Amino acid sequence: MEEVVVIIGAGPAGLASSACLNRLDIPNVILEREDCYASLWRKKAYDRVKLHLAKQFCELPYMPYPPKLPMFVPKNDFISYLDNYASHFGINPRFHCYVESVYYDKNARRWCIVVRNNKLNTIEVYIAKFLVVATGENSEGLIPKVPGLDGFEGMYMHSSQYANGKDYIGKDVLVVGCGNSGMEIAYDLLYWGAHTSIVARSPVHVISKEIVFLGMCFLKYLPCRFVDFIATTLSKIKFGDTSKYGIQRPTEGPFYIKSKTGRSPTIDVGAVQKIKTGEIQVFPSIANIKGNEITFENGKSKQYDAIIFATGYRSTVLDWLKDGKDLFNENGMPEPRFPNHWKGGNGLYCAGFSRRGLMGISLDARKIATDIGLTWKGASK
């Protein structure tokens, strides 16, 4: 099957890329391994989750959120927004299409995409002039190697498998990771009646959603170091010295860290107060596991019924992309730095790899569509 543009991945990045191409009347097809678009949001996001930034910073191209939605959009409302987005722009991904390999045919000057259609049980080959990788940064959940984890007598999972705390009432649960997912899941578990602990493996900025909103607005007019000073000062006033409770603060500012590493500050949903009251215990990294007993690096130990690893994700691009080393490094992330991360050679692009959330996705999609439009329409004249 010969296509002008093949987009791999039907998450928000794939949808945004297709919408921008459709507006320019550039033929494209999205290949998606799951049975729906935005599967991470539909199937792997816990019930309580909301967008962590105000909705005006999370719009996909050419479609604002309905005015009636709250500033921080809940999961189900965001999924409805994506449904309306796909319908409005006439986006129809091809589902059950598992990409096995992609390589560039230098003679044909085309990308060759080998796909296993799991619904039809067939192998399909797509030929495309342009390839957009939109599988994103969060393709596969990461669980770190922990001594004794294989012998843990309780249940353990990645945070992408957690929906709510209904099954953990009265149980002792350890959440590993104090980023946004970890802190919010710990709070949710406590809400459902679990005895909750959290592992703070590294320093993290804990700030409120209001402080983040102010910071995002200030960044339009002020240097990052000034915005970081304001955000850090306000956070200290609101939360006090969190190091007393086991959560260390990084020496560099939250917005600087976000711009340089892509790591977001942790936006508090109420967990900090529960940590202060001792309802959520904080421990350092795990030293080892024996049976149900977990020993931490400070020498303390405790028995747990379950472990939830909120320890991030990895890109799986290199599992199937055989060419494109000019764009992707050994970790499956863009080699060029932002803002030049979105374009490689031979018509290869990536959307959703800037570590800048939905705002970054929107920027990528617009740039990619414009660039493809100039090349494709110029060549067809």
Side-chain angles (χ1 to χ4, degrees):
M1 288 170 276
E2 189 154 356
E3 307 287 346
V4 176
V5 185
V6 167
I7 302 167
I8 301 177
L15 298 180
S17 298
S18 183
C20 291
L21 291 166
N22 287 348
R23 289 184 81 255
L24 298 176
D25 295 321
I26 300 173
N28 65 91
V29 61
I30 303 179
L31 304 178
E32 168 58 47
R33 65 185 179 184
E34 301 288 346
D35 60 358
C36 61
Y37 52 80
S39 63
L40 186 65
W41 281 91
R42 294 180 190 276
K43 298 181 177 183
K44 298 181 180 180
Y46 45 95
D47 296 344
R48 182 185 288 273
V49 71
K50 298 180 181 180
L51 296 182
H52 291 128
L53 297 180
K55 61 184 180 182
Q56 60 262 49
F57 301 114
C58 298
E59 294 174 353
L60 295 185
Y62 310 111
M63 181 177 282
Y65 288 92
K68 65 179 180 179
L69 289 185
M71 181 180 292
F72 298 91
V73 180
K75 168 186 170 180
N76 289 337
D77 288 325
F78 180 63
I79 292 172
S80 294
Y81 169 78
L82 294 180
D83 289 338
N84 293 332
Y85 192 84
S87 175
H88 180 78
F89 290 106
I91 303 169
N92 296 294
R94 297 181 187 178
F95 300 117
H96 307 283
C97 291
Y98 186 92
V99 174
E100 293 195 329
S101 67
V102 177
Y103 62 91
Y104 185 71
D105 187 326
K106 293 181 180 178
N107 294 324
R109 297 170 66 183
R110 295 289 187 274
W111 289 94
C112 181
I113 303 102
V114 181
V115 173
R116 185 176 73 246
N117 189 314
N118 287 327
K119 186 174 184 179
L120 301 178
N121 196 27
T122 58
I123 297 296
E124 301 168 351
V125 179
Y126 291 81
I127 306 297
K129 181 170 178 58
F130 304 99
L131 177 70
V132 180
V133 178
T135 49
E137 307 154 6
N138 300 332
S139 186
E140 182 177 273
L142 273 177
I143 293 181
K145 293 181 180 180
V146 178
L149 180 60
D150 290 343
F152 180 58
E153 294 177 359
M155 176 179 65
Y156 71 89
M157 67 176 70
H158 188 264
S159 58
S160 60
Q161 298 172 279
Y162 177 87
N164 56 57
K166 191 182 300 183
D167 296 331
Y168 301 94
I169 299 171
K171 294 184 177 182
D172 292 293
V173 186
L174 178 66
V175 180
V176 181
C178 59
N180 281 301
S181 294
M183 291 283 266
E184 195 158 1
I185 288 172
Y187 182 81
D188 190 61
L189 284 163
L190 185 68
Y191 169 84
W192 282 98
H195 308 300
T196 311
S197 305
I198 192 166
V199 167
R201 300 187 301 163
S202 56
V204 64
H205 284 284
V206 180
I207 58 182
S208 71
K209 58 186 179 182
E210 292 82 10
I211 294 172
V212 172
F213 177 73
L214 283 175
M216 295 291 286
C217 294
F218 287 160
L219 282 172
K220 296 178 181 179
Y221 311 103
L222 297 173
C224 183
R225 66 181 184 277
F226 290 154
V227 178
D228 275 338
F229 175 77
I230 294 168
T232 303
T233 301
L234 291 174
S235 296
K236 289 177 180 178
I237 292 170
K238 181 172 180 60
F239 299 113
D241 182 8
T242 57
S243 65
K244 293 193 299 184
Y245 308 99
I247 300 175
Q248 304 297 324
R249 192 186 303 274
T251 55
E252 296 171 325
F255 292 102
Y256 174 84
I257 291 174
K258 176 64 178 174
S259 67
K260 291 300 180 182
T261 69
R263 185 179 181 185
S264 299
T266 298
I267 301 172
D268 181 56
V269 295
V272 172
Q273 182 58 34
K274 300 301 181 182
I275 289 170
K276 288 181 175 181
T277 60
E279 295 171 85
I280 296 176
Q281 292 182 287
V282 179
F283 291 99
S285 295
I286 297 172
N288 62 70
I289 301 173
K290 291 182 179 179
N292 281 80
E293 187 169 1
I294 298 178
T295 302
F296 301 95
E297 288 188 346
N298 62 0
K300 294 183 179 180
S301 62
K302 187 176 178 180
Q303 291 192 340
Y304 289 94
D305 301 301
I307 309 172
I308 298 171
F309 287 92
T311 44
Y313 295 80
R314 78 174 184 98
S315 164
T316 59
V317 172
L318 298 188
D319 292 355
W320 44 265
L321 184 63
K322 307 308 175 186
D323 294 300
K325 292 183 179 179
D326 63 320
L327 183 56
F328 291 100
N329 62 24
E330 66 277 6
N331 296 318
M333 294 297 291
E335 182 68 35
R337 290 183 174 273
F338 177 88
N340 303 312
H341 64 284
W342 56 277
K343 183 180 179 180
N346 301 319
L348 176 64
Y349 302 88
C350 68
F353 287 85
S354 68
R355 297 188 185 276
R356 282 164 171 77
L358 291 162
M359 180 186 291
I361 284 172
S362 184
L363 290 171
D364 290 347
R366 292 171 189 262
K367 289 180 179 179
I368 290 168
T370 300
D371 197 70
I372 291 176
L374 291 171
T375 305
W376 180 64
K377 292 182 177 179
S380 61
K381 287 182 179 179

